[in-house]
Amino acid sequence: MTFDGYDLVVVGSGFFGLTVAERAAAAQEDGGLGKKVLVLERRSHIGGNAYSEAEPETGIEIHRYGAHLFHTSNKRVWDYVNRFTAFTGYQHRVFAKVGEQVYAFPMNLALINQFFGRSHSPDEARALIAEQSSEVDTKSAANLEEKAISLVGRPLYEAFVKGYTAKQWQTDPTELDASIITRLPVRYSFDNRYFNDTYEGLPVDGYTAWLEKMADNENIDVRLDTDYFAVRDDIPAGVPVVYTGPLDAYFGNSEGELGWRTLDFELSVEPTGDFQGTSVVNYNDQDVPFTRILEFRHMHPERDYPKDKTVIVREYSRFAESGDEPYYPINTPEDRAKLERYRDLARKETANRNVVFGGRLGTYKYLDMHMAIGSALTLFENRLVPHFTEGKALSGTESED
């Protein structure tokens, strides 16, 4: 494999990596640098966890690595992504199943009225939750359970938070740090939109079409099924590398593996045109092993999908083991101590080898899609542009921007 003629190597083709690659490769008159970029991807497809594909039996577009819902209030990001795709008017709404009842979620006036069995005005609902949450002083909460009770009260906590959290973390909430929950939103209105952002929607032709358009530039070469660690010694010295893989793996786990949660997905084709009536239903009871069921047909009601079949995916959460796909950083005190040591190593690697670390895996941060894109645009503007146009050093790490 030859690396001659490339100005930049990007490791990973998720939204962070592709945004960096697209901007670096774009023509100067389009705000880019016109550089020749090589993207290395260990998977057999581009797009990272945002990759989507048609389920073969039904043709229904599924998100292979869990539901991806695009939303942002960042106009710069919104304007940028609209270069590559139009968006539907989809607004995400979630429902929660507790016992034999289904509630609109997140917690709002409809849920409060339904759960407590009577109509409340917004002021009455506020007073009710304030009374129930007064059981625990939020400033003195010693664990996640106490913190949650101090925010929403014990009845709502035990119904909607306790079991779901225990499944998400495989840990009793009394043994989880209070900092995991900084706030539990309660809306004292009937608004049941899951996100509050200014812009929201799903790509009209799907995520893969969007991602492929980002990479569709004569200055970008994408090599799939390529392990960066197997070829990195072949990259010419001095060629900048933007690395979006796991931070600990880059350094051979020398400071120990960082802790992650992972997800398992159980897909099935059901012999009905509509399994649950909406795209996502959370299963909050602890005795139900999965956390939620996704039904992807409801994400694109404008499409002509089969009327007699549908695709559902049951989602399970667990601690990641070596070789699992990392999804959510656990961020224990031990993890944070390791992360600081890895950041020190990353700073030295940037200074010595022109390697810049970014993205969810490269910074050990959970990033929504819009956050990853925004961070990549910042890296491009603040680091790569000065490096290529003024010869400035690629100092610092993306995690500290």
Side-chain angles (χ1 to χ4, degrees):
M1 180 179 293
T2 178
F3 294 91
D4 295 338
Y6 292 106
D7 302 300
L8 176 69
V9 174
V10 175
V11 181
S13 66
F15 272 116
F16 188 98
L18 284 182
T19 298
V20 170
E22 189 280 329
R23 287 289 78 205
Q28 293 182 13
E29 56 267 28
D30 190 32
L33 290 169
K35 298 298 181 180
K36 189 71 176 174
V37 182
L38 175 64
V39 178
L40 302 177
E41 172 56 58
R42 66 178 176 83
R43 289 171 171 166
S44 60
H45 60 75
I46 67 168
N49 285 358
Y51 176 75
S52 65
E53 61 187 348
E55 190 282 322
E57 185 176 344
T58 62
I60 294 172
E61 181 190 3
I62 62 168
H63 305 167
R64 186 189 289 186
Y65 305 96
H68 281 67
L69 298 313
F70 193 82
H71 57 97
T72 186
S73 293
N74 186 327
K75 190 173 187 303
R76 177 179 70 150
V77 170
W78 182 247
D79 289 343
Y80 176 72
V81 300
N82 273 270
R83 293 169 173 242
F84 311 104
T85 180
F87 287 84
T88 68
Y90 178 86
Q91 293 183 339
H92 193 50
R93 289 176 169 81
V94 173
F95 294 83
K97 190 172 190 297
V98 176
E100 296 303 313
Q101 186 59 271
V102 176
Y103 300 85
F105 205 75
M107 299 179 202
N108 64 4
L109 199 55
L111 181 147
I112 291 170
N113 289 346
Q114 186 179 0
F115 185 79
F116 291 105
R118 61 168 290 259
S119 174
H120 295 78
S121 70
D123 287 342
E124 289 171 339
R126 284 191 184 91
L128 174 66
I129 301 306
E131 177 186 357
Q132 293 180 346
S133 61
S134 66
E135 176 185 340
V136 178
D137 179 10
T138 191
K139 294 180 181 178
S140 62
N143 55 54
L144 185 148
E145 179 169 290
E146 292 183 0
K147 183 73 169 180
I149 291 172
S150 76
L151 295 171
V152 300
R154 187 176 293 275
L156 293 181
Y157 162 73
E158 291 188 343
F160 296 98
V161 181
K162 184 176 182 178
Y164 197 85
T165 300
K167 289 190 292 186
Q168 272 191 318
W169 292 91
Q170 291 176 288
T171 304
D172 189 287
T174 60
E175 299 177 10
L176 291 169
D177 194 270
S179 65
I180 292 175
I181 289 186
T182 55
R183 60 186 293 270
L184 275 173
V186 179
R187 296 176 183 164
Y188 297 100
S189 71
F190 290 97
D191 178 14
N192 69 335
R193 280 185 62 191
Y194 196 75
F195 304 116
N196 290 319
D197 286 296
T198 306
Y199 311 106
E200 181 179 1
L202 291 171
V204 170
D205 296 319
Y207 280 100
T208 295
W210 170 7
L211 294 155
E212 288 176 342
K213 191 166 182 181
M214 291 182 73
D216 186 16
N217 184 306
E218 62 182 8
N219 284 334
I220 297 177
D221 289 336
V222 179
R223 295 182 186 172
L224 304 176
D225 300 304
T226 302
D227 183 351
Y228 166 69
F229 299 112
V231 301
R232 66 172 165 181
D233 290 341
D234 299 326
I235 298 173
V239 174
V241 173
V242 175
Y243 173 84
T244 72
L247 181 60
D248 49 2
Y250 183 92
F251 296 103
N253 299 318
S254 60
E255 304 301 319
E257 291 190 41
L258 294 167
W260 291 84
R261 300 290 297 173
T262 192
L263 299 174
D264 294 320
F265 304 103
E266 181 184 276
L267 183 148
S268 64
V269 176
E270 300 294 326
T272 177
D274 193 347
F275 182 83
Q276 63 186 18
T278 191
S279 53
V280 179
V281 175
N282 291 347
Y283 283 73
N284 294 60
D285 295 333
Q286 193 168 351
D287 59 354
V288 178
F290 46 87
T291 54
R292 60 183 183 169
I293 293 180
L294 314 174
E295 187 173 6
F296 287 103
R297 72 177 308 121
H298 293 292
M299 293 183 181
H300 286 281
E302 76 281 4
R303 293 181 181 175
D304 186 22
Y305 284 146
K307 303 295 190 293
D308 59 344
K309 293 179 181 179
T310 192
V311 180
I312 67 167
V313 173
R314 292 178 174 87
E315 189 172 297
Y316 300 79
S317 175
R318 61 178 173 83
F319 288 107
E321 301 175 357
S322 293
D324 285 329
E325 291 293 341
Y327 280 82
Y328 306 104
I330 297 176
N331 265 324
T332 64
E334 292 79 11
D335 287 320
R336 290 193 290 272
K338 292 176 190 175
L339 179 60
E340 285 306 311
R341 296 195 292 271
Y342 280 124
R343 283 178 174 171
D344 287 339
L345 293 173
R347 279 188 283 269
K348 295 173 184 176
E349 196 73 0
T350 302
N352 296 332
R353 291 174 58 98
N354 273 354
V355 179
V356 181
F357 298 83
R360 178 177 58 94
L361 302 180
T363 60
Y364 194 63
K365 287 183 177 181
Y366 181 74
L367 299 175
D368 283 331
M369 289 178 286
H370 67 285
M371 296 167 67
I373 293 167
S375 180
L377 292 173
T378 297
L379 182 146
F380 170 75
E381 293 164 359
N382 292 355
R383 307 260 191 94
L384 293 181
V385 170
H387 176 77
F388 282 112
T389 61
E390 304 171 36
K392 290 189 176 181
L394 293 166
S395 57
T397 62
E398 179 61 11
S399 60
E400 296 168 324
D401 279 346

